[in-house]
Amino acid sequence: METIKSEYLDYFESYAARHPELTEEDIAIMADPWDVNEDMLLGYVLSLLI
Amino acid sequence: MSNTKRLLDERLIRIEKAVNLEKPDRIPIFALNGPEVAVDYCGRHLKAATWDLEIIRECLPIYYRDMKVDGTSSAFLRCPGTYTTIGSQNFVPNKDGFMQHPEVCGMLADEYEALIKDPFKTLVDKVLPRQYKAFDQPGMLGGLNLAKGALSHLRHTKILQEIDAHCSETVGVPIISANMIEAPFDFLADQLRSFKGISVDMHRCPELVEQACEALFPLLLRWAVTSYPGPPKKIPAIFMPLHMPSFLNPKQFERFYWPTFSRLVNTLTGMGYTVTLFFEGNWSKLYDYLGSLNPHVVGIFEYGELKTIKEKVGQTMCIMGNYPISALKSQSTEECLDLAKKMIDAGAPGGGYIFTTGKAILRGKGLDLEKLQAVHQYVIDHGKY
């Protein structure tokens, strides 16, 4: 599933984009498409608005 | 195996068959209600229960047991402890503790472009501080209040999940509908632009409304998936109450509502989830659209002729709802049973039907719940296949 593109959500993909010093090996080790913290934050904000 | 576990399994099989458009041993009964009615039923005070969820834990299984239901939704309660802490404008408790939702506008018309560019940032920067005044405090205090709200939200969510498990373990009632999301247009209308605001926007800036729905779509899809307990399953279903369509004409529905709504439903069902749609209001002018949704959708219909609904969408959609709760107020027990018979005659043929009320039963006051018990017993006795 695609991550949400937002200045305020820091899924690993956007973190990696801001840190060019990370090597491909680093990214392979660190990449986590299911960032639980970011998804909890998304869920908290949306739940306040329904 | 304990009797409760056996009951739980039997009920799950009964409901799964109906959801799969098959004939179970008998028509399942779904409890469409909030925890508040259980508190009223047990003679407890609602305001106390919304602050002390142990009261909900005591009352809810008693209500489900006495009403003889086969399944229910996860307990959903807006806890004033969370909402008052963060200065809520959009959900406020009334005198006896029931949470009310006033007409509110959280996003101004000139903020559409920001929403389309970065919807999450705009929700946080613009909408939250308007709807929750405690977030709009200077310095670190606003951030601290956001954290307070999050901690309270997580705590209440955890307790409500424990109450769901408690109902399954003690009275064998499975949770067949879990996390709740909204269609993008409803999300935009309800608390961002308001009923009045969105009604004007559809005329003044229709392209922006379309683009805003598109921008919100990925957030709602991701939320649906990431808040679901575990990998995709048929049961529990993802619950989606549908608010605005009965206030839209078919042209508006087709242009603004249908594209992102149908894509959301079809994407989720394509991933292996079941989606329960609560068709609020009268959808009779829109039945032809619904027939084109993917299978694995359960529809709860508030109004409309059940026979027509069954004919129009029953080939692909498990049908629920439609029993008028007003009957429990104003009609005799015999008349309530006659209505149940009519519902069974219209909904049951061929399977794919679950008995429930057309509206969620929010409170016990003014309703004769003994009549609801009698109606459910009638369905159990006369709803065998």
Side-chain angles (χ1 to χ4, degrees):
Chain A
M1 175 174 294
E2 285 181 33
T3 53
I4 305 299
K5 310 288 185 203
S6 171
E7 211 177 295
Y8 282 8
L9 280 175
D10 195 17
Y11 288 102
F12 178 78
E13 191 179 324
S14 54
Y15 176 84
R18 289 201 310 276
H19 292 270
E21 74 278 11
L22 291 173
T23 64
E24 282 187 18
E25 192 183 0
D26 292 332
I27 291 170
I29 292 167
M30 295 167 69
D32 177 6
W34 297 96
D35 187 320
V36 174
N37 291 328
E38 299 301 306
D39 283 330
M40 283 177 74
L41 187 60
L42 177 71
Y44 169 52
V45 168
L46 296 186
S47 71
L48 289 175
L49 297 172
I50 69 163
Chain B
M1 185 188 286
S2 71
N3 283 342
T4 308
K5 178 73 171 71
R6 191 174 301 117
L7 202 55
L8 183 72
D9 291 347
E10 275 174 20
R11 286 169 168 163
L12 264 176
I13 290 168
R14 188 171 293 137
I15 284 165
E16 273 174 355
K17 284 198 170 179
V19 169
N20 289 331
L21 305 180
E22 296 165 14
K23 290 181 187 173
D25 57 342
R26 69 161 166 81
I27 296 166
I29 300 167
F30 178 75
L32 185 60
N33 59 264
E36 295 92 338
V37 67
V39 175
D40 290 338
Y41 177 71
C42 292
R44 304 295 292 271
H45 195 284
L46 181 62
K47 189 181 276 184
T50 56
W51 287 88
D52 176 6
L53 299 185
E54 284 306 309
I55 298 175
I56 306 280
R57 195 193 302 264
E58 287 170 31
C59 298
L60 210 45
I62 295 171
Y63 178 78
Y64 290 146
R65 181 199 64 201
D66 290 1
M67 294 300 147
K68 297 181 180 173
V69 298
D70 292 302
T72 186
S73 299
S74 54
F76 179 75
L77 185 75
R78 297 189 190 278
C79 299
T82 299
Y83 285 91
T84 54
T85 301
I86 57 180
S88 172
Q89 310 296 296
N90 50 347
F91 295 103
V92 289
N94 72 7
K95 279 183 185 169
D96 81 339
F98 191 81
M99 298 296 278
Q100 303 283 355
H101 171 45
E103 164 88 336
V104 285
C105 178
M107 188 189 96
L108 307 180
D110 63 6
E111 290 166 346
Y112 264 106
E113 287 185 7
L115 181 79
I116 292 160
K117 188 177 171 202
D118 190 336
F120 186 78
K121 181 173 189 285
T122 305
L123 296 179
V124 174
D125 274 351
K126 306 289 184 187
V127 183
L128 285 188
R130 286 196 188 107
Q131 302 291 29
Y132 298 97
K133 296 300 180 192
F135 299 160
D136 196 20
Q137 299 296 317
M140 289 296 286
L141 186 56
L144 190 66
N145 287 334
L146 189 70
K148 268 189 198 172
L151 293 170
S152 176
H153 171 75
L154 288 173
R155 179 173 161 268
H156 285 136
T157 302
K158 183 169 176 287
I159 296 173
L160 291 171
Q161 286 168 349
E162 288 168 3
I163 291 173
D164 288 341
H166 178 64
C167 289
S168 296
E169 287 158 11
T170 55
V171 292
V173 173
I175 304 301
I176 63 167
S177 187
N179 53 334
M180 180 168 76
I181 62 162
E182 277 192 322
F185 185 90
D186 282 327
F187 189 87
L188 178 65
D190 281 0
Q191 296 189 45
L192 272 58
R193 292 296 294 134
S194 77
F195 186 91
K196 187 177 162 191
I198 197 75
S199 302
V200 172
D201 296 346
M202 284 188 287
H203 295 284
R204 288 196 183 156
C205 51
E207 290 83 7
L208 293 178
V209 174
E210 288 173 302
Q211 289 168 35
C213 290
E214 289 293 341
L216 290 167
F217 171 86
L219 275 70
L220 291 158
L221 174 61
R222 185 164 185 111
W223 185 32
V225 171
T226 57
S227 62
Y228 190 85
K233 293 194 295 275
K234 291 283 161 20
I235 306 276
I238 293 170
F239 183 65
M240 201 188 301
L242 311 175
H243 297 152
M244 288 296 292
S246 60
F247 301 102
L248 305 177
N249 66 43
K251 265 177 118 173
Q252 289 172 321
F253 176 80
E254 184 166 322
R255 178 170 185 183
F256 299 111
Y257 200 95
W258 178 251
T260 46
F261 160 67
S262 57
R263 202 183 323 141
L264 189 56
V265 173
N266 288 339
T267 304
L268 290 169
T269 50
M271 294 168 87
Y273 299 100
T274 301
V275 179
T276 298
L277 303 174
F278 188 3
F279 297 101
E280 297 185 15
N282 192 328
W283 280 61
S284 53
K285 64 195 174 196
L286 303 169
Y287 292 153
D288 289 338
Y289 288 94
L290 306 182
S292 66
L293 289 172
N294 280 354
H296 305 301
V297 171
V298 179
I300 307 174
F301 289 83
E302 181 174 3
Y303 295 118
E305 289 289 326
L306 194 58
K307 192 167 184 294
T308 310
I309 294 168
K310 183 83 175 177
E311 285 167 5
K312 290 277 189 181
V313 302
Q315 295 297 312
T316 54
M317 188 184 290
C318 172
I319 307 294
M320 291 169 70
N322 209 240
Y323 188 91
I325 58 171
S326 57
L328 304 173
K329 270 186 181 177
S330 58
Q331 301 197 23
S332 68
T333 303
E334 284 307 311
E335 287 169 327
C336 289
L337 299 185
D338 283 346
L339 268 173
K341 181 180 184 311
K342 282 181 189 159
M343 294 285 148
I344 291 174
D345 290 346
Y353 171 64
I354 298 173
F355 184 89
T356 194
T357 48
K359 291 178 191 295
I361 299 178
L362 299 180
R363 303 299 303 271
K365 291 173 183 172
L367 284 185
D368 187 342
L369 292 170
E370 283 184 14
K371 286 180 191 162
L372 184 64
Q373 273 180 309
V375 165
H376 285 177
Q377 189 60 53
Y378 182 89
V379 175
I380 292 168
D381 294 340
H382 298 86
K384 294 186 176 68
Y385 282 100

